[in-house]
Amino acid sequence: MESIREQRLPEAARAVRFEALARVVAEPLYRYVVRRASAGTAEDVLAETMLVLWRRLDDVPQAEAGSVATPDDVLPWCYGVARGCLANARRAEGRRLRLVERLTRTVPLPALWPDDDHSELYAALRGLGSVDREVVLLWAWEGLTPREIAQVVGMTPNAVSIRLHRAKKKLAALLERKNGTAAAHKTGEGRGRSDR
């Protein structure tokens, strides 16, 4: 009888730890995923992410028994898990689309973002490489620091800082070509006294 109780206690403790983690990360993870996939896919990816978090609960930083998980402690690691689940979902969707396309030869690939209010920005983002785009989106949409982004994408913070700087520069250049004016600069801004 005692051994049965000992087996149930760790499982109950895991459930309590997971529920505390889920309260902290579920909403930010959903926002992260829904910005990168359709609502239906986002729900599936979020469910898969939460399943992975349950399975790997012992690997989650600062989620030990007795400690309260904070977003700063766990979100970068959880974003990394969600990124992997999203990549798996995209690969599965790509395989399904290739099969359907082979069968029908008429199915176009879905766009990454809708072409509505910010079509120029989305087009410029599409002009970046996938890793650079992800770094920029993690910085802009999720508000992560280069150190946190490094944890999500599996790079060093220095490599992320360099990629982020170059990607922002390229994004500004792409937007400048689209609009014909320097992005975020006023005409004549930055001239020295000798130019006046």
Side-chain angles (χ1 to χ4, degrees):
M1 187 89 159
E2 194 64 34
S3 64
I4 293 173
R5 220 180 240 168
E6 288 174 5
Q7 291 174 357
R8 288 185 183 169
L9 218 58
E11 196 64 33
R14 277 181 62 80
V16 169
R17 283 172 36 200
F18 180 75
E19 287 172 11
L21 176 66
R23 279 192 294 277
V24 171
V25 301
E27 187 178 325
L29 284 176
Y30 181 75
R31 285 193 311 262
Y32 170 83
V33 175
V34 81
R35 289 176 179 148
R36 291 159 175 80
S38 67
T41 300
E43 290 174 5
D44 292 343
V45 169
L46 179 62
E48 181 67 24
T49 301
M50 298 309 281
L51 180 62
V52 171
L53 293 179
W54 169 256
R55 288 180 184 154
R56 296 186 58 196
L57 190 59
D58 295 333
D59 298 333
V60 178
Q62 303 296 320
E64 276 77 38
S67 70
V68 177
T70 64
D72 290 342
D73 294 332
V74 297
L75 270 177
W77 191 87
C78 294
Y79 283 143
V81 171
R83 184 173 184 254
C85 291
L86 186 58
N88 289 342
R90 285 183 177 149
R91 280 191 296 273
E93 179 67 8
R95 285 190 299 270
R96 187 188 70 75
L97 285 174
R98 283 190 299 276
L99 176 62
V100 170
E101 190 173 348
R102 262 195 327 244
L103 296 173
T104 63
R105 298 288 179 204
T106 60
V107 178
L109 290 175
L112 182 57
W113 298 288
D115 287 331
D116 53 3
D117 298 342
H118 307 289
S119 60
E120 291 176 359
L121 174 61
Y122 294 145
L125 283 168
R126 284 185 195 104
L128 297 176
S130 62
V131 175
D132 289 344
R133 181 173 48 243
E134 183 67 8
V135 166
V136 168
L137 294 179
L138 285 166
W139 171 76
W141 284 349
E142 309 309 333
L144 297 183
T145 65
R147 180 186 56 79
E148 293 167 330
I149 295 169
Q151 192 174 357
V152 174
V153 297
M155 297 177 159
T156 66
N158 189 43
V160 168
S161 293
I162 292 168
R163 275 190 177 269
L164 182 59
H165 175 74
R166 289 178 181 164
K168 289 183 343 187
K169 221 170 149 180
K170 182 174 181 181
L171 191 59
L174 289 169
L175 288 170
E176 184 178 325
R177 270 190 260 142
K178 278 279 216 195
N179 298 327
T181 60
H185 295 286
K186 295 178 184 173
T187 307
E189 186 178 53
R191 292 184 175 190
R193 291 189 183 272
S194 61
D195 293 340
R196 290 183 182 170

